[in-house]
Amino acid sequence: MKMENITFNLAQMHQYGSAFYDFLGLRKRFFVDQLGWDIPHDGTVEMDQYDNPLAYYSLVLRDGKVIGGARAMATTAQWGSHTYMLRDAVAGKLIGIPENIIKQPMVEKTVWECTRVVISDEVDTHADRSLCLSYIVDGLVDQATEHGATEMMALCPPSFARALRKLGYGANLIGQPYVNSDDGRRYVAMSMPAKRREVRTANLAPSPRPTHIPHTQPVHAQPVA
């Protein structure tokens, strides 16, 4: 059961069948059904204001089924009254995320924010979850660096940054943690260089370069905000 990575934006999502919609369904099952987050959904999929034409996606498929994915956009992004998640939080636009989550929001084309990282419960071994995560992150890094990025940032549990470091990414915490009122978990801002991981484990294969060939067959569907 080989994993593959696909990357796209909204203009390209039609090339991959129902992968984008299935990713939204995976997000709903995890963030809403499991964590109990009070975020927009229709009972089947979760989608918010940051799923707009400025967003880029990195998904992982196994046997044609979406088993993980994430979203990213430049910190210069602006869609209507919204920018990117951490900047909007500092501006007091997001309920539940403290305005002092970071000292100063970045507005640089070289800095990208990653959000909505999710891996399916069907990925049930530590090795497979680590591999899936590395595919997701490398796909985001590839898209960001294609557009001039040198740094990535995210809002995540402290344990997520440790997991990234174990995989070979240079993740560091950049803010003070807070407790999410919906799920009772601690979250903190982190940053890392926009570089593919250094493969340190013999059993962990290097991430494949993202697939850009149109996906003609339909596909089925650690929290990061």
Side-chain angles (χ1 to χ4, degrees), residues 190-225:
M190 58 143 279
S191 71
M192 59 172 254
K195 295 181 179 179
R196 280 180 156 241
R197 64 189 167 92
E198 299 175 7
V199 181
R200 299 174 180 172
T201 305
N203 294 327
L204 193 59
S207 300
R209 289 291 173 177
T211 300
H212 295 288
I213 299 172
H215 191 86
T216 56
Q217 297 297 320
V219 293
H220 310 285
Q222 281 303 2
V224 174

PDB file of all heavy atoms in Angstrom, residues 190-225:
ATOM      1  N   MET A 190       4.957  27.841  16.105  1.00  0.00           N
ATOM      2  CA  MET A 190       6.283  27.311  15.796  1.00  0.00           C
ATOM      3  C   MET A 190       6.712  27.792  14.416  1.00  0.00           C
ATOM      4  O   MET A 190       5.899  28.225  13.606  1.00  0.00           O
ATOM      5  CB  MET A 190       6.289  25.785  15.833  1.00  0.00           C
ATOM      6  CG  MET A 190       5.291  25.123  14.878  1.00  0.00           C
ATOM      7  SD  MET A 190       5.896  23.584  14.117  1.00  0.00           S
ATOM      8  CE  MET A 190       6.899  24.242  12.778  1.00  0.00           C
ATOM      9  N   SER A 191       8.003  27.727  14.160  1.00  0.00           N
ATOM     10  CA  SER A 191       8.519  28.045  12.836  1.00  0.00           C
ATOM     11  C   SER A 191       9.619  27.054  12.488  1.00  0.00           C
ATOM     12  O   SER A 191      10.189  26.394  13.365  1.00  0.00           O
ATOM     13  CB  SER A 191       9.064  29.473  12.780  1.00  0.00           C
ATOM     14  OG  SER A 191      10.268  29.573  13.511  1.00  0.00           O
ATOM     15  N   MET A 192       9.914  26.935  11.207  1.00  0.00           N
ATOM     16  CA  MET A 192      10.988  26.059  10.728  1.00  0.00           C
ATOM     17  C   MET A 192      11.461  26.553   9.371  1.00  0.00           C
ATOM     18  O   MET A 192      10.702  27.204   8.642  1.00  0.00           O
ATOM     19  CB  MET A 192      10.502  24.609  10.624  1.00  0.00           C
ATOM     20  CG  MET A 192       9.323  24.406   9.691  1.00  0.00           C
ATOM     21  SD  MET A 192       8.926  22.669   9.413  1.00  0.00           S
ATOM     22  CE  MET A 192       9.541  22.465   7.727  1.00  0.00           C
ATOM     23  N   PRO A 193      12.704  26.274   9.016  1.00  0.00           N
ATOM     24  CA  PRO A 193      13.164  26.629   7.666  1.00  0.00           C
ATOM     25  C   PRO A 193      12.338  25.889   6.617  1.00  0.00           C
ATOM     26  O   PRO A 193      11.920  24.748   6.837  1.00  0.00           O
ATOM     27  CB  PRO A 193      14.621  26.154   7.648  1.00  0.00           C
ATOM     28  CG  PRO A 193      15.019  26.088   9.084  1.00  0.00           C
ATOM     29  CD  PRO A 193      13.786  25.685   9.826  1.00  0.00           C
ATOM     30  N   ALA A 194      12.093  26.532   5.506  1.00  0.00           N
ATOM     31  CA  ALA A 194      11.338  25.898   4.414  1.00  0.00           C
ATOM     32  C   ALA A 194      12.286  24.986   3.645  1.00  0.00           C
ATOM     33  O   ALA A 194      12.737  25.304   2.539  1.00  0.00           O
ATOM     34  CB  ALA A 194      10.730  26.952   3.504  1.00  0.00           C
ATOM     35  N   LYS A 195      12.597  23.855   4.267  1.00  0.00           N
ATOM     36  CA  LYS A 195      13.498  22.880   3.671  1.00  0.00           C
ATOM     37  C   LYS A 195      12.937  21.488   3.871  1.00  0.00           C
ATOM     38  O   LYS A 195      12.346  21.202   4.913  1.00  0.00           O
ATOM     39  CB  LYS A 195      14.890  22.948   4.316  1.00  0.00           C
ATOM     40  CG  LYS A 195      15.633  24.243   4.076  1.00  0.00           C
ATOM     41  CD  LYS A 195      16.994  24.193   4.743  1.00  0.00           C
ATOM     42  CE  LYS A 195      17.768  25.484   4.500  1.00  0.00           C
ATOM     43  NZ  LYS A 195      19.100  25.439   5.169  1.00  0.00           N
ATOM     44  N   ARG A 196      13.125  20.637   2.873  1.00  0.00           N
ATOM     45  CA  ARG A 196      12.764  19.231   3.024  1.00  0.00           C
ATOM     46  C   ARG A 196      13.570  18.631   4.163  1.00  0.00           C
ATOM     47  O   ARG A 196      14.683  19.073   4.460  1.00  0.00           O
ATOM     48  CB  ARG A 196      13.029  18.462   1.733  1.00  0.00           C
ATOM     49  CG  ARG A 196      11.936  18.636   0.690  1.00  0.00           C
ATOM     50  CD  ARG A 196      12.236  17.860  -0.569  1.00  0.00           C
ATOM     51  NE  ARG A 196      10.996  17.563  -1.285  1.00  0.00           N
ATOM     52  CZ  ARG A 196      10.556  16.341  -1.548  1.00  0.00           C
ATOM     53  NH1 ARG A 196      11.251  15.297  -1.148  1.00  0.00           N
ATOM     54  NH2 ARG A 196       9.428  16.173  -2.202  1.00  0.00           N
ATOM     55  N   ARG A 197      13.010  17.613   4.792  1.00  0.00           N
ATOM     56  CA  ARG A 197      13.657  17.001   5.947  1.00  0.00           C
ATOM     57  C   ARG A 197      14.971  16.335   5.583  1.00  0.00           C
ATOM     58  O   ARG A 197      15.180  15.911   4.451  1.00  0.00           O
ATOM     59  CB  ARG A 197      12.727  15.949   6.571  1.00  0.00           C
ATOM     60  CG  ARG A 197      12.430  14.781   5.651  1.00  0.00           C
ATOM     61  CD  ARG A 197      11.343  13.891   6.217  1.00  0.00           C
ATOM     62  NE  ARG A 197      10.873  12.964   5.201  1.00  0.00           N
ATOM     63  CZ  ARG A 197      11.368  11.741   5.020  1.00  0.00           C
ATOM     64  NH1 ARG A 197      12.337  11.315   5.789  1.00  0.00           N
ATOM     65  NH2 ARG A 197      10.883  10.958   4.081  1.00  0.00           N
ATOM     66  N   GLU A 198      15.831  16.258   6.577  1.00  0.00           N
ATOM     67  CA  GLU A 198      17.037  15.455   6.470  1.00  0.00           C
ATOM     68  C   GLU A 198      16.675  14.034   6.897  1.00  0.00           C
ATOM     69  O   GLU A 198      16.240  13.817   8.021  1.00  0.00           O
ATOM     70  CB  GLU A 198      18.135  16.002   7.378  1.00  0.00           C
ATOM     71  CG  GLU A 198      18.560  17.425   7.043  1.00  0.00           C
ATOM     72  CD  GLU A 198      19.553  17.963   8.044  1.00  0.00           C
ATOM     73  OE1 GLU A 198      19.994  17.177   8.911  1.00  0.00           O
ATOM     74  OE2 GLU A 198      19.871  19.153   7.967  1.00  0.00           O
ATOM     75  N   VAL A 199      16.800  13.081   5.999  1.00  0.00           N
ATOM     76  CA  VAL A 199      16.408  11.705   6.302  1.00  0.00           C
ATOM     77  C   VAL A 199      17.419  11.110   7.259  1.00  0.00           C
ATOM     78  O   VAL A 199      18.584  10.904   6.921  1.00  0.00           O
ATOM     79  CB  VAL A 199      16.309  10.854   5.019  1.00  0.00           C
ATOM     80  CG1 VAL A 199      15.882   9.436   5.358  1.00  0.00           C
ATOM     81  CG2 VAL A 199      15.317  11.490   4.052  1.00  0.00           C
ATOM     82  N   ARG A 200      16.969  10.813   8.489  1.00  0.00           N
ATOM     83  CA  ARG A 200      17.860  10.309   9.519  1.00  0.00           C
ATOM     84  C   ARG A 200      17.582   8.864   9.887  1.00  0.00           C
ATOM     85  O   ARG A 200      18.335   8.238  10.613  1.00  0.00           O
ATOM     86  CB  ARG A 200      17.725  11.161  10.782  1.00  0.00           C
ATOM     87  CG  ARG A 200      18.099  12.619  10.572  1.00  0.00           C
ATOM     88  CD  ARG A 200      17.810  13.435  11.817  1.00  0.00           C
ATOM     89  NE  ARG A 200      18.169  14.836  11.609  1.00  0.00           N
ATOM     90  CZ  ARG A 200      17.885  15.802  12.479  1.00  0.00           C
ATOM     91  NH1 ARG A 200      17.261  15.524  13.594  1.00  0.00           N
ATOM     92  NH2 ARG A 200      18.243  17.044  12.228  1.00  0.00           N
ATOM     93  N   THR A 201      16.451   8.332   9.423  1.00  0.00           N
ATOM     94  CA  THR A 201      16.063   6.990   9.813  1.00  0.00           C
ATOM     95  C   THR A 201      16.102   6.079   8.606  1.00  0.00           C
ATOM     96  O   THR A 201      15.490   6.368   7.580  1.00  0.00           O
ATOM     97  CB  THR A 201      14.639   6.992  10.412  1.00  0.00           C
ATOM     98  OG1 THR A 201      14.612   7.923  11.491  1.00  0.00           O
ATOM     99  CG2 THR A 201      14.270   5.614  10.922  1.00  0.00           C
ATOM    100  N   ALA A 202      16.786   4.955   8.742  1.00  0.00           N
ATOM    101  CA  ALA A 202      16.956   4.048   7.605  1.00  0.00           C
ATOM    102  C   ALA A 202      15.638   3.510   7.096  1.00  0.00           C
ATOM    103  O   ALA A 202      15.471   3.240   5.914  1.00  0.00           O
ATOM    104  CB  ALA A 202      17.873   2.891   8.009  1.00  0.00           C
ATOM    105  N   ASN A 203      14.655   3.344   7.993  1.00  0.00           N
ATOM    106  CA  ASN A 203      13.375   2.752   7.613  1.00  0.00           C
ATOM    107  C   ASN A 203      12.380   3.781   7.081  1.00  0.00           C
ATOM    108  O   ASN A 203      11.269   3.428   6.707  1.00  0.00           O
ATOM    109  CB  ASN A 203      12.761   2.023   8.810  1.00  0.00           C
ATOM    110  CG  ASN A 203      13.585   0.827   9.236  1.00  0.00           C
ATOM    111  OD1 ASN A 203      14.202   0.167   8.404  1.00  0.00           O
ATOM    112  ND2 ASN A 203      13.621   0.559  10.533  1.00  0.00           N
ATOM    113  N   LEU A 204      12.761   5.060   7.066  1.00  0.00           N
ATOM    114  CA  LEU A 204      11.849   6.104   6.614  1.00  0.00           C
ATOM    115  C   LEU A 204      12.285   6.574   5.232  1.00  0.00           C
ATOM    116  O   LEU A 204      13.333   7.186   5.077  1.00  0.00           O
ATOM    117  CB  LEU A 204      11.860   7.279   7.592  1.00  0.00           C
ATOM    118  CG  LEU A 204      10.746   8.319   7.438  1.00  0.00           C
ATOM    119  CD1 LEU A 204       9.386   7.681   7.596  1.00  0.00           C
ATOM    120  CD2 LEU A 204      10.924   9.431   8.449  1.00  0.00           C
ATOM    121  N   ALA A 205      11.484   6.241   4.244  1.00  0.00           N
ATOM    122  CA  ALA A 205      11.846   6.561   2.860  1.00  0.00           C
ATOM    123  C   ALA A 205      11.773   8.059   2.622  1.00  0.00           C
ATOM    124  O   ALA A 205      10.998   8.767   3.250  1.00  0.00           O
ATOM    125  CB  ALA A 205      10.896   5.848   1.902  1.00  0.00           C
ATOM    126  N   PRO A 206      12.598   8.572   1.705  1.00  0.00           N
ATOM    127  CA  PRO A 206      12.495   9.988   1.358  1.00  0.00           C
ATOM    128  C   PRO A 206      11.152  10.286   0.712  1.00  0.00           C
ATOM    129  O   PRO A 206      10.581   9.436   0.028  1.00  0.00           O
ATOM    130  CB  PRO A 206      13.656  10.201   0.373  1.00  0.00           C
ATOM    131  CG  PRO A 206      13.957   8.847  -0.168  1.00  0.00           C
ATOM    132  CD  PRO A 206      13.656   7.893   0.948  1.00  0.00           C
ATOM    133  N   SER A 207      10.648  11.476   0.943  1.00  0.00           N
ATOM    134  CA  SER A 207       9.351  11.845   0.380  1.00  0.00           C
ATOM    135  C   SER A 207       9.448  11.933  -1.133  1.00  0.00           C
ATOM    136  O   SER A 207      10.427  12.447  -1.665  1.00  0.00           O
ATOM    137  CB  SER A 207       8.899  13.193   0.941  1.00  0.00           C
ATOM    138  OG  SER A 207       8.773  13.142   2.333  1.00  0.00           O
ATOM    139  N   PRO A 208       8.426  11.447  -1.843  1.00  0.00           N
ATOM    140  CA  PRO A 208       8.434  11.583  -3.297  1.00  0.00           C
ATOM    141  C   PRO A 208       8.155  13.020  -3.680  1.00  0.00           C
ATOM    142  O   PRO A 208       7.551  13.766  -2.916  1.00  0.00           O
ATOM    143  CB  PRO A 208       7.269  10.685  -3.726  1.00  0.00           C
ATOM    144  CG  PRO A 208       6.313  10.757  -2.570  1.00  0.00           C
ATOM    145  CD  PRO A 208       7.181  10.844  -1.343  1.00  0.00           C
ATOM    146  N   ARG A 209       8.638  13.415  -4.826  1.00  0.00           N
ATOM    147  CA  ARG A 209       8.247  14.726  -5.325  1.00  0.00           C
ATOM    148  C   ARG A 209       6.750  14.709  -5.614  1.00  0.00           C
ATOM    149  O   ARG A 209       6.207  13.691  -6.051  1.00  0.00           O
ATOM    150  CB  ARG A 209       9.026  15.068  -6.599  1.00  0.00           C
ATOM    151  CG  ARG A 209      10.499  15.362  -6.331  1.00  0.00           C
ATOM    152  CD  ARG A 209      10.681  16.661  -5.575  1.00  0.00           C
ATOM    153  NE  ARG A 209      12.072  16.865  -5.164  1.00  0.00           N
ATOM    154  CZ  ARG A 209      12.508  17.948  -4.544  1.00  0.00           C
ATOM    155  NH1 ARG A 209      11.658  18.915  -4.250  1.00  0.00           N
ATOM    156  NH2 ARG A 209      13.769  18.068  -4.204  1.00  0.00           N
ATOM    157  N   PRO A 210       6.041  15.806  -5.336  1.00  0.00           N
ATOM    158  CA  PRO A 210       4.594  15.814  -5.526  1.00  0.00           C
ATOM    159  C   PRO A 210       4.189  15.431  -6.938  1.00  0.00           C
ATOM    160  O   PRO A 210       4.873  15.758  -7.903  1.00  0.00           O
ATOM    161  CB  PRO A 210       4.210  17.268  -5.213  1.00  0.00           C
ATOM    162  CG  PRO A 210       5.306  17.775  -4.347  1.00  0.00           C
ATOM    163  CD  PRO A 210       6.552  17.081  -4.829  1.00  0.00           C
ATOM    164  N   THR A 211       3.070  14.738  -7.042  1.00  0.00           N
ATOM    165  CA  THR A 211       2.533  14.322  -8.332  1.00  0.00           C
ATOM    166  C   THR A 211       1.754  15.468  -8.959  1.00  0.00           C
ATOM    167  O   THR A 211       0.901  16.067  -8.316  1.00  0.00           O
ATOM    168  CB  THR A 211       1.609  13.106  -8.148  1.00  0.00           C
ATOM    169  OG1 THR A 211       2.355  12.050  -7.573  1.00  0.00           O
ATOM    170  CG2 THR A 211       1.022  12.664  -9.474  1.00  0.00           C
ATOM    171  N   HIS A 212       2.041  15.761 -10.209  1.00  0.00           N
ATOM    172  CA  HIS A 212       1.308  16.819 -10.925  1.00  0.00           C
ATOM    173  C   HIS A 212       0.526  16.257 -12.112  1.00  0.00           C
ATOM    174  O   HIS A 212      -0.126  17.000 -12.820  1.00  0.00           O
ATOM    175  CB  HIS A 212       2.279  17.895 -11.409  1.00  0.00           C
ATOM    176  CG  HIS A 212       2.944  18.633 -10.295  1.00  0.00           C
ATOM    177  ND1 HIS A 212       2.286  19.540  -9.504  1.00  0.00           N
ATOM    178  CD2 HIS A 212       4.214  18.563  -9.816  1.00  0.00           C
ATOM    179  CE1 HIS A 212       3.120  20.028  -8.598  1.00  0.00           C
ATOM    180  NE2 HIS A 212       4.278  19.454  -8.763  1.00  0.00           N
ATOM    181  N   ILE A 213       0.583  14.944 -12.317  1.00  0.00           N
ATOM    182  CA  ILE A 213      -0.192  14.312 -13.375  1.00  0.00           C
ATOM    183  C   ILE A 213      -1.661  14.279 -12.954  1.00  0.00           C
ATOM    184  O   ILE A 213      -1.970  13.940 -11.828  1.00  0.00           O
ATOM    185  CB  ILE A 213       0.300  12.872 -13.624  1.00  0.00           C
ATOM    186  CG1 ILE A 213       1.777  12.898 -14.054  1.00  0.00           C
ATOM    187  CG2 ILE A 213      -0.545  12.176 -14.665  1.00  0.00           C
ATOM    188  CD1 ILE A 213       2.405  11.529 -14.145  1.00  0.00           C
ATOM    189  N   PRO A 214      -2.583  14.664 -13.806  1.00  0.00           N
ATOM    190  CA  PRO A 214      -4.003  14.645 -13.426  1.00  0.00           C
ATOM    191  C   PRO A 214      -4.424  13.297 -12.872  1.00  0.00           C
ATOM    192  O   PRO A 214      -4.111  12.256 -13.435  1.00  0.00           O
ATOM    193  CB  PRO A 214      -4.725  14.967 -14.743  1.00  0.00           C
ATOM    194  CG  PRO A 214      -3.727  15.749 -15.531  1.00  0.00           C
ATOM    195  CD  PRO A 214      -2.382  15.167 -15.172  1.00  0.00           C
ATOM    196  N   HIS A 215      -5.145  13.344 -11.740  1.00  0.00           N
ATOM    197  CA  HIS A 215      -5.642  12.131 -11.101  1.00  0.00           C
ATOM    198  C   HIS A 215      -7.070  11.896 -11.606  1.00  0.00           C
ATOM    199  O   HIS A 215      -7.995  12.589 -11.216  1.00  0.00           O
ATOM    200  CB  HIS A 215      -5.629  12.309  -9.581  1.00  0.00           C
ATOM    201  CG  HIS A 215      -5.876  11.044  -8.830  1.00  0.00           C
ATOM    202  ND1 HIS A 215      -4.866  10.164  -8.512  1.00  0.00           N
ATOM    203  CD2 HIS A 215      -7.011  10.500  -8.355  1.00  0.00           C
ATOM    204  CE1 HIS A 215      -5.367   9.138  -7.844  1.00  0.00           C
ATOM    205  NE2 HIS A 215      -6.664   9.318  -7.739  1.00  0.00           N
ATOM    206  N   THR A 216      -7.251  10.916 -12.462  1.00  0.00           N
ATOM    207  CA  THR A 216      -8.520  10.775 -13.165  1.00  0.00           C
ATOM    208  C   THR A 216      -9.558   9.975 -12.387  1.00  0.00           C
ATOM    209  O   THR A 216     -10.741  10.069 -12.655  1.00  0.00           O
ATOM    210  CB  THR A 216      -8.302  10.089 -14.524  1.00  0.00           C
ATOM    211  OG1 THR A 216      -7.653   8.836 -14.305  1.00  0.00           O
ATOM    212  CG2 THR A 216      -7.429  10.947 -15.414  1.00  0.00           C
ATOM    213  N   GLN A 217      -9.112   9.165 -11.396  1.00  0.00           N
ATOM    214  CA  GLN A 217     -10.059   8.361 -10.638  1.00  0.00           C
ATOM    215  C   GLN A 217     -10.460   9.086  -9.351  1.00  0.00           C
ATOM    216  O   GLN A 217      -9.615   9.694  -8.695  1.00  0.00           O
ATOM    217  CB  GLN A 217      -9.438   6.999 -10.280  1.00  0.00           C
ATOM    218  CG  GLN A 217      -9.102   6.163 -11.504  1.00  0.00           C
ATOM    219  CD  GLN A 217     -10.325   5.812 -12.301  1.00  0.00           C
ATOM    220  OE1 GLN A 217     -11.371   5.500 -11.758  1.00  0.00           O
ATOM    221  NE2 GLN A 217     -10.207   5.858 -13.625  1.00  0.00           N
ATOM    222  N   PRO A 218     -11.734   9.023  -8.947  1.00  0.00           N
ATOM    223  CA  PRO A 218     -12.132   9.653  -7.698  1.00  0.00           C
ATOM    224  C   PRO A 218     -11.392   9.048  -6.532  1.00  0.00           C
ATOM    225  O   PRO A 218     -11.071   7.874  -6.532  1.00  0.00           O
ATOM    226  CB  PRO A 218     -13.642   9.357  -7.622  1.00  0.00           C
ATOM    227  CG  PRO A 218     -14.049   9.043  -9.022  1.00  0.00           C
ATOM    228  CD  PRO A 218     -12.859   8.409  -9.646  1.00  0.00           C
ATOM    229  N   VAL A 219     -11.108   9.866  -5.480  1.00  0.00           N
ATOM    230  CA  VAL A 219     -10.502   9.352  -4.279  1.00  0.00           C
ATOM    231  C   VAL A 219     -11.406   9.658  -3.094  1.00  0.00           C
ATOM    232  O   VAL A 219     -12.249  10.535  -3.143  1.00  0.00           O
ATOM    233  CB  VAL A 219      -9.102   9.992  -4.039  1.00  0.00           C
ATOM    234  CG1 VAL A 219      -8.138   9.557  -5.092  1.00  0.00           C
ATOM    235  CG2 VAL A 219      -9.204  11.514  -4.025  1.00  0.00           C
ATOM    236  N   HIS A 220     -11.298   8.891  -2.048  1.00  0.00           N
ATOM    237  CA  HIS A 220     -12.170   9.008  -0.889  1.00  0.00           C
ATOM    238  C   HIS A 220     -11.407   9.636   0.289  1.00  0.00           C
ATOM    239  O   HIS A 220     -10.199   9.538   0.367  1.00  0.00           O
ATOM    240  CB  HIS A 220     -12.669   7.628  -0.497  1.00  0.00           C
ATOM    241  CG  HIS A 220     -13.227   6.867  -1.657  1.00  0.00           C
ATOM    242  ND1 HIS A 220     -14.447   7.136  -2.214  1.00  0.00           N
ATOM    243  CD2 HIS A 220     -12.703   5.871  -2.392  1.00  0.00           C
ATOM    244  CE1 HIS A 220     -14.664   6.315  -3.236  1.00  0.00           C
ATOM    245  NE2 HIS A 220     -13.616   5.554  -3.353  1.00  0.00           N
ATOM    246  N   ALA A 221     -12.198  10.130   0.962  1.00  0.00           N
ATOM    247  CA  ALA A 221     -11.524  10.703   2.095  1.00  0.00           C
ATOM    248  C   ALA A 221     -10.853   9.720   3.111  1.00  0.00           C
ATOM    249  O   ALA A 221     -11.429   8.710   3.284  1.00  0.00           O
ATOM    250  CB  ALA A 221     -12.485  11.547   2.903  1.00  0.00           C
ATOM    251  N   GLN A 222      -1.907  14.690  14.510  1.00  0.00           N
ATOM    252  CA  GLN A 222      -1.574  15.719  15.479  1.00  0.00           C
ATOM    253  C   GLN A 222      -2.216  17.034  15.077  1.00  0.00           C
ATOM    254  O   GLN A 222      -1.957  17.456  13.963  1.00  0.00           O
ATOM    255  CB  GLN A 222      -0.078  15.952  15.585  1.00  0.00           C
ATOM    256  CG  GLN A 222       0.659  14.904  16.417  1.00  0.00           C
ATOM    257  CD  GLN A 222       0.175  14.756  17.778  1.00  0.00           C
ATOM    258  OE1 GLN A 222      -0.770  15.415  18.163  1.00  0.00           O
ATOM    259  NE2 GLN A 222       0.767  13.916  18.554  1.00  0.00           N
ATOM    260  N   PRO A 223      -3.222  17.513  15.578  1.00  0.00           N
ATOM    261  CA  PRO A 223      -3.930  18.704  15.145  1.00  0.00           C
ATOM    262  C   PRO A 223      -3.030  19.908  14.957  1.00  0.00           C
ATOM    263  O   PRO A 223      -2.219  20.228  15.805  1.00  0.00           O
ATOM    264  CB  PRO A 223      -4.939  18.944  16.270  1.00  0.00           C
ATOM    265  CG  PRO A 223      -4.286  18.384  17.479  1.00  0.00           C
ATOM    266  CD  PRO A 223      -3.480  17.214  17.011  1.00  0.00           C
ATOM    267  N   VAL A 224      -3.168  20.562  13.842  1.00  0.00           N
ATOM    268  CA  VAL A 224      -2.582  21.882  13.615  1.00  0.00           C
ATOM    269  C   VAL A 224      -3.724  22.783  13.181  1.00  0.00           C
ATOM    270  O   VAL A 224      -4.517  22.410  12.320  1.00  0.00           O
ATOM    271  CB  VAL A 224      -1.489  21.827  12.521  1.00  0.00           C
ATOM    272  CG1 VAL A 224      -1.004  23.223  12.198  1.00  0.00           C
ATOM    273  CG2 VAL A 224      -0.318  20.966  12.986  1.00  0.00           C
ATOM    274  N   ALA A 225      -3.839  23.935  13.763  1.00  0.00           N
ATOM    275  CA  ALA A 225      -4.992  24.810  13.515  1.00  0.00           C
ATOM    276  C   ALA A 225      -5.160  25.123  12.041  1.00  0.00           C
ATOM    277  O   ALA A 225      -4.213  25.136  11.291  1.00  0.00           O
ATOM    278  CB  ALA A 225      -4.827  26.101  14.300  1.00  0.00           C
TER     279      ALA A 225
END
